[in-house]
Amino acid sequence: MANDGPVQHGYPHLETVRAAITALYKRLSYDTVQTFATSVAPVDVAFCDTDDLYLGAQRVARELVRHYRLPDARFVVSFREMTHAANVELTAGPEYFVELNDRFRTHRRDIGAALAHEVMHVYLHRLDLSFPGVRENEILTDTATTYLGAGWLLLDAYREDSASSQKLGYLTPEEFGYVLAKRSLVFGEDPSVWFTSPQAYTAYGKGLALAREDEQQPPLTAAGWAGRRRYARDRRHGGPGPGQGQGQGQGPGTRYAFTPDGTGSLRVSFPCPTCHQRIRVPVRGRVRARCALCRTVLECDT
C-alpha cells in the first residue's frame, strides 16, 4: 500500500498481467469466466461513517464471497497496525481471518477494495492457482480480482495530489486500467461510471488505449498501416530459405513469429488480443481464426 509515498506508474508488470489473464481462462474455462459478466455493484460494498466498523466489514466481505461464489467461506475481520493494506490467513476453511490496516478505521470507503483482494486470495487458493514468487502471485491476485469484477474498487482507491497519495494493490494505476479495459471489451461494461477518484478516470483511459492497441496488431486486419508494412517485411524474411531459420518480428512491441510447418509452407503465431493465448495459423492471406481458449473470432490477413 502506497500511503503518502511515491506511486509507480506505467506498465512494468504487463507481461505477468497478460500471463495471469491466460491462466484464468485456462483454469476457470470460458464458460466460468462468462459467469462474472456483472461487476460488484457500488451499493453492495458501500461503507459510510455511520456503519459499525466490524459489522460493516463483515457485510462487505460476505458480499464479495457471494460475488466470487465461494461456498461456506466465513470471514472474520480485524484491524491492526501493519505495513501492507491487509493480510489473510489461508487455511482449508471454512473460516478465514482477515486483518486490515488500522488506516481503514478512518478510510472506510476503501475497505471494500482491500477485502476484494484478500477474498480473491482465498478464491485462487481454492482453485490451486498460483504463480511462483510472492510478487508474481500478488500480480495474479490483482489481475484476477479486476478481471472477475471487483478490481474497479482497487483502482478507485487510488488518489494522488501534491500533498498526499494512496494506492492499493501491486499493479500500477495504468495496469489496473488496462485489466479493467480488457474486461470491458469482453463484457461491454463501463466501469468508469463508478469511479469517485479523478485519478482513476485518467488511469483507466490510458489502460483502455493500450487494450485497444492489442486488437490492432498484425496479422489482425485491424492493424494500422505501419504495423502491416512491418509485418510484410518480417514475413519476407521469415520463411525457410538459404541461411534462414525461424523468423521473429523485429520491432519493439512485435509479438508475432513465423515458423515453417514442415511442408515448405509458413505459419505465423501471435497472441490472442482477448486472453493472450498464442494462436498459430497458416500464412496464406485472409484467414479467420477462433481462439480455442476464449472463443474470440479473429479476422487476420497473414
Side-chain angles (χ1 to χ4, degrees), residues 216-229:
Q216 299 167 357
Q217 298 298 312
L220 301 175
T221 56
W225 178 83
R228 295 297 311 161
R229 184 178 180 182

Side-chain angles (χ1 to χ4, degrees), residues 149-250:
W152 69 267
L153 290 161
L154 285 160
L155 180 55
D156 195 43
Y158 162 54
R159 290 179 287 278
E160 188 173 17
D161 56 39
S162 59
S164 63
S165 65
Q166 175 184 278
K167 187 189 76 69
L168 305 183
Y170 282 68
L171 300 186
T172 68
E174 293 78 15
E175 287 169 340
F176 273 121
Y178 173 77
V179 182
L180 274 175
K182 301 294 282 187
R183 171 184 168 79
S184 176
L185 293 171
V186 169
F187 297 117
E189 186 183 65
D190 181 9
S192 65
V193 298
W194 303 321
F195 294 150
T196 61
S197 163
Q199 291 79 24
Y201 285 99
T202 302
Y204 176 67
K206 292 179 179 179
L208 180 59
L210 182 59
R212 285 176 171 155
E213 284 184 17
D214 288 347
E215 300 180 333
Q216 299 167 357
Q217 298 298 312
L220 301 175
T221 56
W225 178 83
R228 295 297 311 161
R229 184 178 180 182
R230 183 184 65 216
Y231 176 86
R233 180 199 65 207
D234 292 339
R235 181 178 57 198
R236 286 195 298 271
H237 299 289
Q244 294 179 356
Q246 175 173 316
Q248 175 74 45
Q250 300 299 313

